[in-house]
Structures are given as structure tokens and as C-alpha cells.
mmCIF file of all heavy atoms in Angstrom:
data_model
loop_
_atom_site.group_PDB
_atom_site.id
_atom_site.type_symbol
_atom_site.label_atom_id
_atom_site.label_comp_id
_atom_site.label_asym_id
_atom_site.label_seq_id
_atom_site.Cartn_x
_atom_site.Cartn_y
_atom_site.Cartn_z
ATOM 1 N N LYS X 1 -24.497 204.094 86.795
ATOM 2 C CA LYS X 1 -25.609 203.339 86.219
ATOM 3 C C LYS X 1 -25.355 201.818 86.207
ATOM 4 O O LYS X 1 -26.208 201.032 86.440
ATOM 5 C CB LYS X 1 -25.889 203.859 84.795
ATOM 6 C CG LYS X 1 -26.495 205.240 84.735
ATOM 7 C CD LYS X 1 -26.660 205.697 83.311
ATOM 8 C CE LYS X 1 -27.258 207.154 83.270
ATOM 9 N NZ LYS X 1 -27.281 207.645 81.877
ATOM 10 N N ARG X 2 -24.071 201.476 85.918
ATOM 11 C CA ARG X 2 -23.785 200.025 85.819
ATOM 12 C C ARG X 2 -23.719 199.335 87.179
ATOM 13 O O ARG X 2 -24.183 198.203 87.317
ATOM 14 C CB ARG X 2 -22.357 199.909 85.122
ATOM 15 C CG ARG X 2 -21.954 198.499 84.879
ATOM 16 C CD ARG X 2 -20.466 198.397 84.432
ATOM 17 N NE ARG X 2 -19.570 198.793 85.509
ATOM 18 C CZ ARG X 2 -18.372 199.312 85.404
ATOM 19 N NH1 ARG X 2 -17.943 199.585 84.144
ATOM 20 N NH2 ARG X 2 -17.615 199.638 86.430
ATOM 21 N N ASP X 3 -23.150 200.042 88.184
ATOM 22 C CA ASP X 3 -22.863 199.324 89.456
ATOM 23 C C ASP X 3 -23.805 199.748 90.590
ATOM 24 O O ASP X 3 -23.804 199.048 91.649
ATOM 25 C CB ASP X 3 -21.449 199.596 89.886
ATOM 26 C CG ASP X 3 -20.406 199.169 88.856
ATOM 27 O OD1 ASP X 3 -20.721 198.163 88.170
ATOM 28 O OD2 ASP X 3 -19.364 199.763 88.764
ATOM 29 N N HIS X 4 -24.588 200.774 90.405
ATOM 30 C CA HIS X 4 -25.388 201.290 91.578
ATOM 31 C C HIS X 4 -26.793 201.674 91.192
ATOM 32 O O HIS X 4 -27.310 202.644 91.689
ATOM 33 C CB HIS X 4 -24.670 202.472 92.150
ATOM 34 C CG HIS X 4 -23.217 202.215 92.479
ATOM 35 N ND1 HIS X 4 -22.848 201.563 93.644
ATOM 36 C CD2 HIS X 4 -22.011 202.521 91.872
ATOM 37 C CE1 HIS X 4 -21.529 201.407 93.738
ATOM 38 N NE2 HIS X 4 -21.033 202.032 92.690
ATOM 39 N N SER X 5 -27.373 200.891 90.260
ATOM 40 C CA SER X 5 -28.686 201.319 89.800
ATOM 41 C C SER X 5 -29.840 200.724 90.680
ATOM 42 O O SER X 5 -30.964 201.176 90.601
ATOM 43 C CB SER X 5 -28.937 200.796 88.343
ATOM 44 O OG SER X 5 -28.810 199.396 88.263
ATOM 45 N N GLY X 6 -29.515 199.729 91.527
ATOM 46 C CA GLY X 6 -30.569 199.152 92.324
ATOM 47 C C GLY X 6 -30.860 199.871 93.573
ATOM 48 O O GLY X 6 -30.234 200.930 93.932
ATOM 49 N N ILE X 7 -31.853 199.409 94.371
ATOM 50 C CA ILE X 7 -32.232 200.043 95.641
ATOM 51 C C ILE X 7 -32.232 198.944 96.726
ATOM 52 O O ILE X 7 -33.301 198.642 97.300
ATOM 53 C CB ILE X 7 -33.571 200.764 95.577
ATOM 54 C CG1 ILE X 7 -33.697 201.589 94.282
ATOM 55 C CG2 ILE X 7 -33.698 201.713 96.800
ATOM 56 C CD1 ILE X 7 -35.006 202.271 94.140
ATOM 57 N N PRO X 8 -31.136 198.225 96.951
ATOM 58 C CA PRO X 8 -31.139 197.201 97.980
ATOM 59 C C PRO X 8 -31.078 197.788 99.377
ATOM 60 O O PRO X 8 -30.677 198.960 99.551
ATOM 61 C CB PRO X 8 -29.837 196.435 97.658
ATOM 62 C CG PRO X 8 -28.896 197.497 97.111
ATOM 63 C CD PRO X 8 -29.770 198.442 96.366
ATOM 64 N N HIS X 9 -31.446 197.005 100.326
ATOM 65 C CA HIS X 9 -31.322 197.438 101.678
ATOM 66 C C HIS X 9 -31.522 196.263 102.639
ATOM 67 O O HIS X 9 -31.637 195.079 102.197
ATOM 68 C CB HIS X 9 -32.287 198.578 102.099
ATOM 69 C CG HIS X 9 -31.643 199.651 102.984
ATOM 70 N ND1 HIS X 9 -30.821 199.292 104.059
ATOM 71 C CD2 HIS X 9 -31.691 200.988 102.943
ATOM 72 C CE1 HIS X 9 -30.379 200.444 104.632
ATOM 73 N NE2 HIS X 9 -30.881 201.464 103.960
ATOM 74 N N GLY X 10 -31.625 196.505 103.955
ATOM 75 C CA GLY X 10 -31.745 195.457 104.906
ATOM 76 C C GLY X 10 -31.257 195.877 106.256
ATOM 77 O O GLY X 10 -31.013 197.038 106.503
ATOM 78 N N GLY X 11 -31.042 194.898 107.111
ATOM 79 C CA GLY X 11 -30.517 195.229 108.457
ATOM 80 C C GLY X 11 -30.849 194.180 109.471
ATOM 81 O O GLY X 11 -31.314 193.072 109.143
ATOM 82 N N PHE X 12 -30.531 194.549 110.717
ATOM 83 C CA PHE X 12 -30.671 193.602 111.833
ATOM 84 C C PHE X 12 -31.253 194.321 113.047
ATOM 85 O O PHE X 12 -30.875 195.398 113.404
ATOM 86 C CB PHE X 12 -29.257 193.126 112.195
ATOM 87 C CG PHE X 12 -28.438 192.624 111.069
ATOM 88 C CD1 PHE X 12 -27.668 193.513 110.317
ATOM 89 C CD2 PHE X 12 -28.497 191.296 110.670
ATOM 90 C CE1 PHE X 12 -26.866 193.087 109.245
ATOM 91 C CE2 PHE X 12 -27.705 190.865 109.561
ATOM 92 C CZ PHE X 12 -26.892 191.760 108.895
ATOM 93 N N VAL X 13 -32.203 193.626 113.684
ATOM 94 C CA VAL X 13 -32.698 193.989 115.018
ATOM 95 C C VAL X 13 -32.206 192.953 115.983
ATOM 96 O O VAL X 13 -32.549 191.769 115.806
ATOM 97 C CB VAL X 13 -34.193 194.121 115.100
ATOM 98 C CG1 VAL X 13 -34.672 194.347 116.521
ATOM 99 C CG2 VAL X 13 -34.664 195.320 114.212
ATOM 100 N N ILE X 14 -31.462 193.333 116.988
ATOM 101 C CA ILE X 14 -30.904 192.382 117.903
ATOM 102 C C ILE X 14 -31.190 192.854 119.359
ATOM 103 O O ILE X 14 -31.062 194.030 119.654
ATOM 104 C CB ILE X 14 -29.352 192.235 117.714
ATOM 105 C CG1 ILE X 14 -29.092 191.882 116.289
ATOM 106 C CG2 ILE X 14 -28.774 191.240 118.757
ATOM 107 C CD1 ILE X 14 -27.537 191.902 115.948
ATOM 108 N N ARG X 15 -31.608 191.974 120.191
ATOM 109 C CA ARG X 15 -31.730 192.214 121.612
ATOM 110 C C ARG X 15 -30.935 191.192 122.375
ATOM 111 O O ARG X 15 -31.151 189.996 122.221
ATOM 112 C CB ARG X 15 -33.132 192.282 122.138
ATOM 113 C CG ARG X 15 -33.240 192.694 123.658
ATOM 114 C CD ARG X 15 -34.650 193.116 124.042
ATOM 115 N NE ARG X 15 -34.722 193.449 125.450
ATOM 116 C CZ ARG X 15 -34.430 194.619 125.983
ATOM 117 N NH1 ARG X 15 -34.070 195.603 125.245
ATOM 118 N NH2 ARG X 15 -34.607 194.797 127.313
ATOM 119 N N SER X 16 -30.089 191.639 123.177
ATOM 120 C CA SER X 16 -29.244 190.775 124.081
ATOM 121 C C SER X 16 -29.722 190.982 125.488
ATOM 122 O O SER X 16 -29.885 192.090 125.982
ATOM 123 C CB SER X 16 -27.758 191.188 123.917
ATOM 124 O OG SER X 16 -26.956 190.317 124.703
ATOM 125 N N GLY X 17 -29.961 189.850 126.212
ATOM 126 C CA GLY X 17 -30.516 189.942 127.560
ATOM 127 C C GLY X 17 -30.110 188.780 128.464
ATOM 128 O O GLY X 17 -29.595 187.730 127.956
ATOM 129 N N LYS X 18 -30.394 188.930 129.692
ATOM 130 C CA LYS X 18 -29.979 187.927 130.678
ATOM 131 C C LYS X 18 -31.212 187.471 131.407
ATOM 132 O O LYS X 18 -32.173 188.219 131.656
ATOM 133 C CB LYS X 18 -28.954 188.523 131.691
ATOM 134 C CG LYS X 18 -27.659 188.954 131.098
ATOM 135 C CD LYS X 18 -26.690 189.536 132.157
ATOM 136 C CE LYS X 18 -25.428 190.008 131.484
ATOM 137 N NZ LYS X 18 -24.593 188.934 130.972
ATOM 138 N N THR X 19 -31.196 186.169 131.860
ATOM 139 C CA THR X 19 -32.301 185.592 132.670
ATOM 140 C C THR X 19 -31.642 184.842 133.812
ATOM 141 O O THR X 19 -30.387 184.657 133.776
ATOM 142 C CB THR X 19 -33.192 184.667 131.851
ATOM 143 O OG1 THR X 19 -32.418 183.549 131.370
ATOM 144 C CG2 THR X 19 -33.859 185.340 130.680
ATOM 145 N N GLY X 20 -32.465 184.409 134.727
ATOM 146 C CA GLY X 20 -31.933 183.688 135.899
ATOM 147 C C GLY X 20 -31.897 184.618 137.127
ATOM 148 O O GLY X 20 -31.866 185.849 136.980
ATOM 149 N N TRP X 21 -31.901 184.005 138.303
ATOM 150 C CA TRP X 21 -31.930 184.818 139.535
ATOM 151 C C TRP X 21 -30.753 185.714 139.668
ATOM 152 O O TRP X 21 -30.864 186.839 140.130
ATOM 153 C CB TRP X 21 -31.994 183.854 140.747
ATOM 154 C CG TRP X 21 -32.428 184.569 142.015
ATOM 155 C CD1 TRP X 21 -31.609 184.896 143.067
ATOM 156 C CD2 TRP X 21 -33.708 184.990 142.350
ATOM 157 N NE1 TRP X 21 -32.282 185.513 143.982
ATOM 158 C CE2 TRP X 21 -33.615 185.607 143.615
ATOM 159 C CE3 TRP X 21 -34.938 184.981 141.743
ATOM 160 C CZ2 TRP X 21 -34.680 186.205 144.270
ATOM 161 C CZ3 TRP X 21 -36.046 185.547 142.365
ATOM 162 C CH2 TRP X 21 -35.902 186.151 143.659
ATOM 163 N N ASN X 22 -29.562 185.272 139.216
ATOM 164 C CA ASN X 22 -28.417 186.037 139.269
ATOM 165 C C ASN X 22 -27.852 186.428 137.894
ATOM 166 O O ASN X 22 -26.696 186.622 137.687
ATOM 167 C CB ASN X 22 -27.321 185.275 140.033
ATOM 168 C CG ASN X 22 -27.702 185.050 141.490
ATOM 169 O OD1 ASN X 22 -28.027 185.989 142.207
ATOM 170 N ND2 ASN X 22 -27.701 183.826 141.939
ATOM 171 N N ASP X 23 -28.800 186.549 136.936
ATOM 172 C CA ASP X 23 -28.441 186.914 135.537
ATOM 173 C C ASP X 23 -27.388 185.927 134.960
ATOM 174 O O ASP X 23 -26.452 186.349 134.223
ATOM 175 C CB ASP X 23 -27.877 188.312 135.468
ATOM 176 C CG ASP X 23 -28.917 189.394 135.837
ATOM 177 O OD1 ASP X 23 -30.100 189.033 135.843
ATOM 178 O OD2 ASP X 23 -28.555 190.496 136.200
ATOM 179 N N GLU X 24 -27.537 184.667 135.243
ATOM 180 C CA GLU X 24 -26.451 183.754 134.874
ATOM 181 C C GLU X 24 -26.593 183.250 133.452
ATOM 182 O O GLU X 24 -25.569 182.642 132.920
ATOM 183 C CB GLU X 24 -26.501 182.512 135.847
ATOM 184 C CG GLU X 24 -27.751 181.736 135.904
ATOM 185 C CD GLU X 24 -28.714 182.099 137.004
ATOM 186 O OE1 GLU X 24 -28.689 183.330 137.378
ATOM 187 O OE2 GLU X 24 -29.414 181.294 137.520
ATOM 188 N N ASN X 25 -27.710 183.426 132.771
ATOM 189 C CA ASN X 25 -27.843 182.929 131.431
ATOM 190 C C ASN X 25 -28.090 184.082 130.408
ATOM 191 O O ASN X 25 -28.870 185.010 130.659
ATOM 192 C CB ASN X 25 -29.029 181.978 131.337
ATOM 193 C CG ASN X 25 -28.714 180.645 132.092
ATOM 194 O OD1 ASN X 25 -27.696 180.069 131.894
ATOM 195 N ND2 ASN X 25 -29.641 180.296 133.018
ATOM 196 N N GLN X 26 -27.346 183.984 129.313
ATOM 197 C CA GLN X 26 -27.315 185.031 128.301
ATOM 198 C C GLN X 26 -28.104 184.574 127.062
ATOM 199 O O GLN X 26 -28.060 183.368 126.690
ATOM 200 C CB GLN X 26 -25.873 185.355 127.864
ATOM 201 C CG GLN X 26 -25.739 186.401 126.758
ATOM 202 C CD GLN X 26 -25.892 187.848 127.332
ATOM 203 O OE1 GLN X 26 -25.482 188.056 128.420
ATOM 204 N NE2 GLN X 26 -26.489 188.660 126.549
ATOM 205 N N HIS X 27 -28.901 185.473 126.494
ATOM 206 C CA HIS X 27 -29.729 185.153 125.289
ATOM 207 C C HIS X 27 -29.555 186.267 124.298
ATOM 208 O O HIS X 27 -29.470 187.439 124.608
ATOM 209 C CB HIS X 27 -31.226 184.962 125.679
ATOM 210 C CG HIS X 27 -31.447 184.118 126.835
ATOM 211 N ND1 HIS X 27 -31.549 182.697 126.761
ATOM 212 C CD2 HIS X 27 -31.560 184.409 128.160
ATOM 213 C CE1 HIS X 27 -31.738 182.206 127.951
ATOM 214 N NE2 HIS X 27 -31.721 183.266 128.827
ATOM 215 N N VAL X 28 -29.624 185.890 122.953
ATOM 216 C CA VAL X 28 -29.641 186.887 121.887
ATOM 217 C C VAL X 28 -30.771 186.532 120.937
ATOM 218 O O VAL X 28 -30.881 185.439 120.494
ATOM 219 C CB VAL X 28 -28.294 186.831 121.145
ATOM 220 C CG1 VAL X 28 -28.303 187.819 119.980
ATOM 221 C CG2 VAL X 28 -27.131 187.202 122.079
ATOM 222 N N ILE X 29 -31.603 187.549 120.695
ATOM 223 C CA ILE X 29 -32.656 187.401 119.682
ATOM 224 C C ILE X 29 -32.264 188.308 118.500
ATOM 225 O O ILE X 29 -31.853 189.468 118.661
ATOM 226 C CB ILE X 29 -33.979 187.986 120.222
ATOM 227 C CG1 ILE X 29 -34.441 187.187 121.507
ATOM 228 C CG2 ILE X 29 -35.093 187.953 119.183
ATOM 229 C CD1 ILE X 29 -35.657 187.846 122.182
ATOM 230 N N GLU X 30 -32.316 187.719 117.315
ATOM 231 C CA GLU X 30 -31.946 188.490 116.118
ATOM 232 C C GLU X 30 -32.956 188.259 114.985
ATOM 233 O O GLU X 30 -33.400 187.160 114.735
ATOM 234 C CB GLU X 30 -30.565 188.025 115.584
ATOM 235 C CG GLU X 30 -30.116 188.775 114.319
ATOM 236 C CD GLU X 30 -28.694 188.481 113.940
ATOM 237 O OE1 GLU X 30 -27.936 187.935 114.729
ATOM 238 O OE2 GLU X 30 -28.374 188.800 112.731
ATOM 239 N N TYR X 31 -33.368 189.355 114.393
ATOM 240 C CA TYR X 31 -34.176 189.412 113.206
ATOM 241 C C TYR X 31 -33.459 190.141 112.102
ATOM 242 O O TYR X 31 -32.894 191.247 112.355
ATOM 243 C CB TYR X 31 -35.518 190.124 113.553
ATOM 244 C CG TYR X 31 -36.454 190.271 112.333
ATOM 245 C CD1 TYR X 31 -37.261 189.240 111.910
ATOM 246 C CD2 TYR X 31 -36.602 191.537 111.717
ATOM 247 C CE1 TYR X 31 -38.113 189.395 110.859
ATOM 248 C CE2 TYR X 31 -37.482 191.717 110.657
ATOM 249 C CZ TYR X 31 -38.274 190.652 110.225
ATOM 250 O OH TYR X 31 -39.130 190.824 109.185
ATOM 251 N N SER X 32 -33.369 189.569 110.929
ATOM 252 C CA SER X 32 -32.597 190.254 109.872
ATOM 253 C C SER X 32 -33.339 190.234 108.526
ATOM 254 O O SER X 32 -34.159 189.346 108.301
ATOM 255 C CB SER X 32 -31.245 189.551 109.702
ATOM 256 O OG SER X 32 -31.365 188.249 109.214
ATOM 257 N N LEU X 33 -33.027 191.235 107.734
ATOM 258 C CA LEU X 33 -33.553 191.319 106.376
ATOM 259 C C LEU X 33 -32.441 191.597 105.415
ATOM 260 O O LEU X 33 -31.530 192.412 105.680
ATOM 261 C CB LEU X 33 -34.536 192.518 106.322
ATOM 262 C CG LEU X 33 -35.839 192.447 107.095
ATOM 263 C CD1 LEU X 33 -36.601 193.739 107.006
ATOM 264 C CD2 LEU X 33 -36.712 191.299 106.632
ATOM 265 N N LYS X 34 -32.520 190.971 104.204
ATOM 266 C CA LYS X 34 -31.664 191.284 103.144
ATOM 267 C C LYS X 34 -32.532 191.443 101.902
ATOM 268 O O LYS X 34 -33.082 190.545 101.414
ATOM 269 C CB LYS X 34 -30.625 190.120 102.876
ATOM 270 C CG LYS X 34 -29.592 190.421 101.852
ATOM 271 C CD LYS X 34 -28.623 189.303 101.703
ATOM 272 C CE LYS X 34 -27.590 189.578 100.644
ATOM 273 N NZ LYS X 34 -26.607 188.467 100.460
ATOM 274 N N LEU X 35 -32.596 192.717 101.422
ATOM 275 C CA LEU X 35 -33.613 193.049 100.405
ATOM 276 C C LEU X 35 -32.946 193.502 99.103
ATOM 277 O O LEU X 35 -32.149 194.443 99.062
ATOM 278 C CB LEU X 35 -34.473 194.233 100.957
ATOM 279 C CG LEU X 35 -34.985 194.079 102.453
ATOM 280 C CD1 LEU X 35 -35.750 195.340 102.802
ATOM 281 C CD2 LEU X 35 -35.872 192.827 102.518
ATOM 282 N N ASP X 36 -33.340 192.817 98.025
ATOM 283 C CA ASP X 36 -32.964 193.359 96.695
ATOM 284 C C ASP X 36 -33.633 194.695 96.347
ATOM 285 O O ASP X 36 -33.025 195.507 95.666
ATOM 286 C CB ASP X 36 -33.390 192.329 95.625
ATOM 287 C CG ASP X 36 -32.272 191.306 95.343
ATOM 288 O OD1 ASP X 36 -31.214 191.362 95.979
ATOM 289 O OD2 ASP X 36 -32.539 190.392 94.581
ATOM 290 N N SER X 37 -34.834 194.903 96.777
ATOM 291 C CA SER X 37 -35.582 196.117 96.470
ATOM 292 C C SER X 37 -36.252 196.601 97.738
ATOM 293 O O SER X 37 -37.291 196.011 98.161
ATOM 294 C CB SER X 37 -36.553 195.900 95.379
ATOM 295 O OG SER X 37 -37.453 197.026 95.269
ATOM 296 N N ASN X 38 -35.736 197.685 98.272
ATOM 297 C CA ASN X 38 -36.348 198.305 99.436
ATOM 298 C C ASN X 38 -37.844 198.709 99.207
ATOM 299 O O ASN X 38 -38.690 198.237 99.985
ATOM 300 C CB ASN X 38 -35.507 199.568 99.824
ATOM 301 C CG ASN X 38 -36.053 200.308 101.022
ATOM 302 O OD1 ASN X 38 -37.039 200.050 101.539
ATOM 303 N ND2 ASN X 38 -35.259 201.330 101.402
ATOM 304 N N PRO X 39 -38.143 199.425 98.151
ATOM 305 C CA PRO X 39 -39.574 199.757 97.963
ATOM 306 C C PRO X 39 -40.503 198.584 97.717
ATOM 307 O O PRO X 39 -41.634 198.561 98.152
ATOM 308 C CB PRO X 39 -39.560 200.721 96.775
ATOM 309 C CG PRO X 39 -38.246 200.542 96.095
ATOM 310 C CD PRO X 39 -37.287 200.096 97.157
ATOM 311 N N GLU X 40 -40.057 197.576 96.973
ATOM 312 C CA GLU X 40 -40.913 196.390 96.760
ATOM 313 C C GLU X 40 -41.165 195.623 97.997
ATOM 314 O O GLU X 40 -42.307 195.109 98.201
ATOM 315 C CB GLU X 40 -40.326 195.501 95.691
ATOM 316 C CG GLU X 40 -40.454 196.170 94.283
ATOM 317 C CD GLU X 40 -40.036 195.198 93.173
ATOM 318 O OE1 GLU X 40 -39.764 194.043 93.431
ATOM 319 O OE2 GLU X 40 -39.926 195.712 91.980
ATOM 320 N N PHE X 41 -40.171 195.469 98.871
ATOM 321 C CA PHE X 41 -40.438 194.786 100.170
ATOM 322 C C PHE X 41 -41.387 195.611 101.018
ATOM 323 O O PHE X 41 -42.340 195.082 101.608
ATOM 324 C CB PHE X 41 -39.128 194.486 100.876
ATOM 325 C CG PHE X 41 -39.342 193.724 102.166
ATOM 326 C CD1 PHE X 41 -39.465 192.382 102.155
ATOM 327 C CD2 PHE X 41 -39.436 194.424 103.390
ATOM 328 C CE1 PHE X 41 -39.660 191.628 103.335
ATOM 329 C CE2 PHE X 41 -39.672 193.739 104.558
ATOM 330 C CZ PHE X 41 -39.756 192.373 104.524
ATOM 331 N N THR X 42 -41.095 196.922 101.119
ATOM 332 C CA THR X 42 -42.026 197.829 101.871
ATOM 333 C C THR X 42 -43.410 197.714 101.405
ATOM 334 O O THR X 42 -44.356 197.647 102.174
ATOM 335 C CB THR X 42 -41.476 199.258 101.834
ATOM 336 O OG1 THR X 42 -40.171 199.346 102.379
ATOM 337 C CG2 THR X 42 -42.397 200.220 102.579
ATOM 338 N N SER X 43 -43.582 197.685 100.039
ATOM 339 C CA SER X 43 -44.899 197.583 99.451
ATOM 340 C C SER X 43 -45.564 196.286 99.886
ATOM 341 O O SER X 43 -46.784 196.291 100.099
ATOM 342 C CB SER X 43 -44.782 197.623 97.932
ATOM 343 O OG SER X 43 -44.183 198.815 97.490
ATOM 344 N N SER X 44 -44.855 195.191 99.911
ATOM 345 C CA SER X 44 -45.451 193.928 100.277
ATOM 346 C C SER X 44 -45.948 193.935 101.730
ATOM 347 O O SER X 44 -46.981 193.337 102.065
ATOM 348 C CB SER X 44 -44.425 192.778 100.097
ATOM 349 O OG SER X 44 -44.011 192.659 98.724
ATOM 350 N N VAL X 45 -45.200 194.604 102.636
ATOM 351 C CA VAL X 45 -45.653 194.785 104.012
ATOM 352 C C VAL X 45 -46.918 195.557 104.052
ATOM 353 O O VAL X 45 -47.940 195.221 104.718
ATOM 354 C CB VAL X 45 -44.581 195.420 104.895
ATOM 355 C CG1 VAL X 45 -45.031 195.517 106.348
ATOM 356 C CG2 VAL X 45 -43.259 194.605 104.831
#
């Protein structure tokens, strides 16, 4: 009850990819969430 009463969550969506004729350039797209309350954030969406 003292240490684990909340419902936090979150995570990361990452895509790593290459562009250029010979795949010479690397790119990383990242979206992240850090949520104090999983249900309240879900509700807002």
C-alpha cells in the first residue's frame, strides 16, 4: 500500500532506418511517454 499504490506506466516507440542510395545515412525516430496514471492518460486520449 505504501510503495505500490499508484498505476504509473509509459514506454517508447522507436524506428531506426536508413536513407540514401547506398543506405549511407542512419535515422532514429522516438516517441516516449512517462505516465503517473495509466487510466487517466488513456481517458484523456
Side-chain angles (χ1 to χ4, degrees):
K1 289 176 181 175
R2 184 189 69 207
D3 301 330
H4 305 283
S5 60
I7 317 176
H9 220 316
F12 311 87
V13 170
I14 303 172
R15 185 165 176 86
S16 181
K18 297 179 184 293
T19 62
W21 195 254
N22 296 306
D23 296 340
E24 59 265 32
N25 292 308
Q26 180 77 36
H27 311 274
V28 177
I29 300 171
E30 179 173 343
Y31 176 78
S32 68
L33 294 174
K34 185 178 180 182
L35 313 175
D36 269 358
S37 170
N38 179 355
E40 286 186 9
F41 183 83
T42 300
S43 301
S44 297
V45 181

